[in-house]
Amino acid sequence: MRVYKIDDYVLKYRIGHPFETEAVIRDGEEIEKNTMDYFKISQATKLRLIYKMNTDDIVLGLGENQRGINKRGGIYESYCTDDPNHTPDKKSLYGAHNFLIVDGAETFGVFIDYPGRVTFDVGFTHKDYLEIIVDDNNLDIYIINGNNLKEIVKSFLKLVGQCYVPPKWAFGYQQCRWSYEDAAEVENIADSFIKNDIPCDAIYLDIDYMEDFKDFTISHERFPNFKAFVEKMKKKGFRLIPIIDAGVKIEKGYDVYEEGVANDFFCVDQDGKPFVGAVWPGRVHFPDFLNPEARKWFGLKYKTLLDCGIEGFWNDMNEPAIFYTDRGLNKAIKKAKKSEDENLNIYSFFELKDTFIKISNNLEDYKSFYHKVKGELVNHDKVHNLYGYNMTRAAAEGFEEIKPNKRVLIFSRSSYIGMHRYSGIWTGDNHSWWDHILLNIKMMPSLNMCGFLYSGADTGGFNGDANAELVTRWTQFSIFTPLFRNHSAMGTRNQEPFAFDEESKEIMKRAIELRYAIIPYIYSEYMKAVINWEVYFAPLVFEYDDEMSRKTEDQLLVGDSIMISPIYQENVTGRYVWVPEDMLLWKVKKYSDREYEIVKKGHRYLNVEIKEIPVFIRKNKMLILGKHAKNVESIDNRQLDIIAFIEDKTSYIYYDDDGKTYDFKKGKYSEIAIEIEKADGEFKINIDNRGNEKVQRLNFDICPFAKALIRAIFLKEKEKLYEKEKQWNFNAYYIFT
Ligand code: MIG
């Protein structure tokens, strides 16, 4: 074991000769140390780390996983899996996010940087033991110290690098469905948004837009003159977002296939021949995304679509999902044939059935192909969790080359820590189940802690049929997730906001309008989180240290100013809420209606009618918002509103930038610093405008600890007078009585 000091808070323990995952972006200096902090370590064929937890410890993190925000009581396996049934017993989903934080007697974070299988037994086998089992003895372990959860997360995020930032329009509402089959149908969906006057920024193209499911092709039959269609749709206000799959169809004459074979860009089997698996198009080869040249080649392929005016993509099936291989299929067929004349009983029948079920995503298949890394063959199983990461990295690096300094929307299904620098993720094939709203709520902060800020679930649920109430309540939660996309599977009931009754449509429309109205806040908080190494979604325990807040699983802090308490149960008109400090409650039916209520710290049953979205503004915090428009680019932010809940003093930084480039990395962005102080019943407002040229007026709703609500208006009165001094570069002093 060799130990490296990354900084005062982070130590790296290197064991054996790990595969370079490129999850971490920082190096350290080797130091003299031969014991590991916190964990007992044992090495045999597998490596085990054991930590005895205290009764009151909570364990957070692990990104895309089942169960709670507090991961205690569960067992989780990092081995990226395409499993469309996210039931509570499942140990693996699509991502491998090996970072967790223990908070209690000791508070520390641990990141297991190993790209094969890792098991996290968080008090499952024995309630008091956290045991981490790694299938190998070559890995890096990072231990992150800090005084509190926020500090630990900050150190971790600095270690793994700055999160991806999509174009600003990608914070708008997005509509997807697997089976918007042709141009006419896509346009029809767009027109329905227009007709119903529901804001929307993007419509997705699922696998049907391709020709025979071949990547980087377009079906000319279903999408004649694709480029013109993309343009036409953009004029209407919608971007089209095509899907790209990992598998490349084996077909003579298909350029991607031909080039991949000619250049050895595909993963190989033990004989060195391109490995064959089957997915959508039937038999495919899998690009070897661990090979930088293959990555470059694949990344540049996105140009075909970028050249048609496409500005966003989603990368699917990149665990990689494998429907079958000849090996698995033949084995099952043989078994079936042999069983033909048998009298199958409970054991033999289920064995036969299992053989068929296990044809897909079979471990033996993952063990039977190889990557070429620096001239050496590496078994896929050992680096399995890096596949989706590197497919998506290929895309992002391609974009950077094809469209330098232009933000392109990209998110992936499979991921590993580090991929968050290149893209976002969506959480895969959930169900139209109420439980999956709750799972979505719990997953968001966990993903954020692992760096994945641009994320969201299929709103309304992917598999299965949804009813209006489910889609409504889910939409009312998703308005807060950076990626806000309604998506459903082929063959299920349609679930666009206008797919149900009039009343539900109206309610969803109001929710989506609220989303657009709070984009100033959402974007500002997202960007500040990115820049300052923070999370956008946090569990209450990040801010409040009372016992209830440590245990609250179904309320979240969104950015710095607000708390939400979504409804995730059917047929209810309210729920219990833990209010960790006095807050200002704004129950939104229509965001133009402003009625607030001060809610005292404590337990409370909150009525939440189907029309309502409760937004809690924290004490001494402000929520900034504007008005909705048909899409993000049409939003007029010359006037913004501020809802402030002030006991004594509060400040807020409103961030904005061009929304299109990465210039913010060079410090090119604007801020408006707003400070409100209450003294002797008067409010003093200070506004410092650092470069925002759009906003001309701020309206304040200030709620003090008094019964009466005071509405204050600050405006750029006498525009001309202040022009020379640069608007707002002065202190405004206003007294409200
Ligand atoms: O196995 O492309 O998660 O969002 O609609 C299904 C069809 C393949 C899985 C994705 C889903 C997408 C679907 N894909």
Side-chain angles (χ1 to χ4, degrees), residues 19-20 22 288-292 295 370-379 383 386:
F19 184 88
E20 185 46 69
E22 297 182 66
D288 183 358
F289 294 117
L290 297 186
N291 168 355
R295 207 156 60 218
Y370 300 83
H371 300 268
K372 252 173 269 158
V373 182
K374 294 180 186 143
E376 270 178 49
L377 287 185
V378 178
N379 188 263
V383 291
L386 295 179

Side-chain angles (χ1 to χ4, degrees), residues 522-570:
I522 289 178
Y523 189 68
S524 182
E525 292 304 294
Y526 183 93
M527 291 305 299
K528 285 187 288 177
V530 168
I531 291 168
N532 302 324
W533 318 97
E534 284 164 358
V535 293
Y536 165 90
F537 275 122
L540 300 195
V541 62
F542 268 45
E543 292 291 338
Y544 305 99
D545 57 10
D546 62 88
E547 211 28 50
M548 272 311 295
S549 294
R550 284 175 70 74
K551 297 286 160 67
T552 300
E553 291 276 346
D554 57 358
Q555 298 168 217
L556 296 177
L557 300 171
V558 184
D560 193 45
S561 305
I562 65 176
M563 178 183 86
I564 57 169
S565 60
I567 296 287
Y568 52 87
Q569 281 184 304
E570 193 162 25

